[in-house]
Amino acid sequence: MKIEHIGIAVKDLGISNDLFEKLLGAAPYKEEQVESEGVKTSFFAVGDSKIELVGSEKKDSAIEKYLEKNREGIHHIAFGVENIEFEIERLKNQGFTFINETPKLGADNKRVVFLHPKTTNGVLVELCEDVK
Ligand SMILES: CC[C@H](C(=O)O)C(=O)SCCNC(=O)CCNC(=O)[C@H](O)C(C)(C)COP(=O)(O)OP(=O)(O)OC[C@H]1O[C@@H](n2cnc3c(N)ncnc32)[C@H](O)[C@@H]1OP(=O)(O)O
Ligand SMILES: [Co+2]
């Protein structure tokens, strides 16, 4: 397992892209719309991990809802795994609950699931597996 990315909820992706380009000294290596999530993301490489900026594109997106109640900032942590189905079973057996147990297509060519923050010490956890 590795820290695949840190997801940051942002109100304005353009403004935050400029800020993180200044902060990290490099432009995002990609911007990607994730229709199913109603979000637009941009990715910055940081060593062998990433920063994922996530902006809402739809009124009912998870990010829109989050930003109605919280200030911009770290939204989730994503762990990269080799075998997402194996990890889902392992974690279910450990008592963790999932928001979606069936992996769905995420950004940056990944299959993703999310664990519910109520079972992960208040941290929204995403698991990512490379789409093969
Ligand atoms: C997948 C594309 C991309 C990628 O990397 O590939 C992304 O990462 S997109 C990121 C945006 N998508 C998601 O976050 C999907 C998973 N999230 C959800 O399904 C919801 O946001 C959920 C279920 C976590 C919360 O939705 P809900 O409608 O239940 O919102 P509430 O405000 O009622 O929250 C309930 C409860 O959860 C706590 N909460 C909510 N968001 C977070 C968070 N980001 N980190 C920690 N805790 C969170 C919230 O405080 C409430 O707690 P409570 O104790 O009940 O007050
Ligand atoms: Co993410």
Side-chain angles (χ1 to χ4, degrees):
M1 216 180 246
K2 61 169 262 190
I3 294 179
E4 209 289 322
H5 64 262
I6 302 281
I8 298 175
V10 300
K11 288 184 182 142
D12 182 310
L13 198 59
I15 292 172
S16 296
N17 275 340
D18 293 345
L19 188 148
F20 276 82
E21 180 166 349
K22 288 187 192 113
L23 181 66
L24 300 171
Y29 66 86
K30 80 159 48 168
E31 281 201 13
E32 185 180 345
Q33 196 103 15
V34 185
E35 279 301 322
S36 62
E37 286 293 319
V39 298
K40 191 172 184 184
T41 61
S42 58
F43 285 89
F44 293 80
V46 181
D48 68 355
S49 192
K50 302 157 189 174
I51 291 292
E52 175 194 62
L53 302 183
V54 195
S56 176
E57 295 279 298
K58 277 190 194 147
K59 276 273 155 262
D60 62 348
S61 72
I63 290 296
E64 190 86 18
K65 271 197 79 174
Y66 180 82
L67 288 172
E68 283 164 5
K69 299 181 182 175
N70 304 277
R71 64 167 67 90
E72 291 180 298
I74 294 178
H75 175 261
H76 63 277
I77 183 165
F79 296 115
V81 296
E82 291 302 313
N83 181 330
I84 200 165
E85 278 79 8
F86 172 81
E87 293 299 333
I88 291 167
E89 285 315 305
R90 180 179 73 83
L91 292 168
K92 273 168 64 178
N93 293 335
Q94 297 274 16
F96 293 95
T97 58
F98 287 78
I99 296 161
N100 63 302
E101 276 192 34
T102 305
K104 57 186 175 183
L105 198 56
D108 210 21
N109 204 34
K110 298 283 184 290
R111 298 172 66 224
V112 305
V113 292
F114 286 88
L115 284 75
H116 202 288
K118 65 178 186 297
T119 64
T120 50
N121 218 139
V123 178
L124 179 59
V125 169
E126 176 184 352
L127 301 183
C128 303
E129 178 194 74
D130 290 338
V131 171
K132 294 178 179 70

